């Protein structure tokens, strides 16, 4: 049976590869993000099963307005949208901007949409997969704290959805090439430094994270919920 899949942040990087993985399997995919041109280009590249939807997921009014364009049944929700706040500087105003920005971009973008469409998840087969980060476990200031809050929230969500047979899991990637997250900071020297921290001696690829997401959304993963799947090449070992 063809499933309806919603992928946030689906226009680039990991989200793009997640959308590709589901589209290649014949699923109907909606990619959600803020940038119309990026989404439309991605949808055109990924094929007819992919529909773009422009929405600022940190804005509750925008989320409400977008609900009518989302499927009445959402079989799989992949919460991938997120970014790092770039505000720098000292003093309470800069600190507030940085922490508030990271919370809005990485927590509200997940929670507002998930809570708005959770009643559309089909009992017995619904899947929620949220993309976090190794930063949630290593630290990384306001960004790491925002991602760590998703882990706590996912424990809560999985307990609520579990009695209905709906699973909710986290994928926590390490350093991944081919995304907009690092920008010019991920030069050859930085890639080598980060690769040396892993057990495999390399950084990851978006398609590898997408494969982890796809597995957790599959029928084979029906007995896995409330978990954090590390996808970091052994840079940080799970406990």
């Amino acid at each position: 049976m063809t499933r309806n899949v919603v992928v946030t942040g689906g226009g680039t990087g990991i989200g793009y590869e997640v959308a590709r993985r589901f589209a290649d399997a014949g699923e109907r995919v909606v990619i959600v993000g803020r940038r119309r041109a990026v989404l439309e280009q991605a949808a055109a590249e990924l094929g007819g099963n992919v529909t773009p939807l422009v929405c600022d997921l940190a804005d509750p009014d925008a989320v409400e307005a977008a609900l009518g364009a989302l499927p009445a049944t959402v079989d799989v929700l992949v919460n991938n949208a997120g970014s790092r706040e770039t505000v720098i500087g000292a003093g309470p105003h800069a600190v507030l901007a940085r922490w508030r920005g990271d919370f809005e971009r990485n927590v509200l973008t997940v929670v507002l949409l998930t809570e708005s469409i959770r009643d559309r998840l089909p009992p017995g087969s619904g899947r929620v997969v949220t993309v976090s980060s190794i930063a949630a476990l290593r630290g990384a200031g306001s960004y790491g704290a925002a991602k760590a809050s998703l882990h706590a929230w996912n424990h809560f969500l999985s307990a609520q959805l579990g009695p209905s047979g709906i699973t909710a899991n986290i994928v926590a990637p390490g350093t991944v090439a081919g995304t907009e997250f690092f920008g010019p900071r991920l030069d050859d020297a930085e890639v080598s430094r980060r690769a040396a921290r892993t057990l495999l001696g390399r950084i990851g690829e978006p398609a590898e994270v997408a494969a982890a997401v796809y597995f957790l959304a599959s029928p084979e993963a029906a007995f896995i919920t409330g978990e954090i799947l590390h996808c970091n090449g052994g840079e940080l070992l799970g406990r």
Side-chain angles (χ1 to χ4, degrees):
M1 181 181 70
T2 301
R3 298 183 296 177
N4 293 318
V5 181
V6 175
V7 181
T8 70
T12 61
I14 292 172
Y16 180 93
E17 290 300 327
V18 170
R20 181 203 296 276
R21 186 68 185 258
F22 283 103
D24 285 351
E27 315 281 25
R28 291 182 293 266
V29 183
V30 178
I31 53 174
V32 186
R34 292 180 296 173
R35 297 175 294 175
R36 181 179 301 278
V38 170
L39 291 174
E40 290 179 348
Q41 178 178 344
E45 293 171 354
L46 293 172
N49 282 344
V50 179
T51 303
L53 176 60
V54 179
C55 178
D56 181 353
L57 294 168
D59 180 349
D61 291 330
V63 172
E64 282 192 338
L67 293 179
L70 292 172
T73 298
V74 177
D75 299 284
V76 179
L77 170 61
V78 180
N79 292 308
N80 170 75
S83 63
R84 172 174 284 177
E85 176 56 62
T86 58
V87 171
I88 59 175
H93 291 287
V95 171
L96 175 62
R98 187 163 59 249
W99 280 76
R100 177 176 285 166
D102 275 333
F103 185 82
E104 290 178 352
R105 287 175 169 82
N106 296 285
V107 180
L108 292 187
T109 52
V110 172
V111 176
L112 290 180
L113 180 62
T114 304
E115 293 296 335
S116 296
I117 66 171
R118 57 183 293 174
D119 291 341
R120 304 186 188 191
L121 297 165
S125 62
R127 300 283 186 268
V128 179
V129 184
T130 298
V131 178
S132 172
S133 170
I134 194 173
L137 303 153
R138 299 191 67 158
S142 56
Y143 176 75
K147 291 299 190 181
S149 70
L150 292 177
H151 294 191
W153 168 79
N154 188 71
H155 291 321
F156 171 76
L157 180 69
S158 59
Q160 288 191 312
L161 298 179
S164 298
I166 301 168
T167 67
N169 292 288
I170 296 274
V171 173
T175 303
V176 178
T179 74
E180 296 181 337
F181 181 81
F182 295 100
R185 292 183 295 133
L186 201 61
D187 56 18
D188 290 344
E190 183 65 8
V191 168
S192 296
R193 187 183 74 83
R194 288 172 177 266
R197 299 192 310 204
T198 73
L199 299 182
L200 297 177
R202 66 176 179 86
I203 64 173
E205 296 292 337
E208 294 172 317
V209 182
V213 171
Y214 188 80
F215 166 68
L216 289 174
S218 71
E220 288 80 5
F223 201 52
I224 302 174
T225 196
E227 294 292 340
I228 302 168
L229 176 56
H230 301 282
C231 188
N232 58 47
E235 181 178 349
L236 182 68
L237 300 181
R239 295 290 187 267

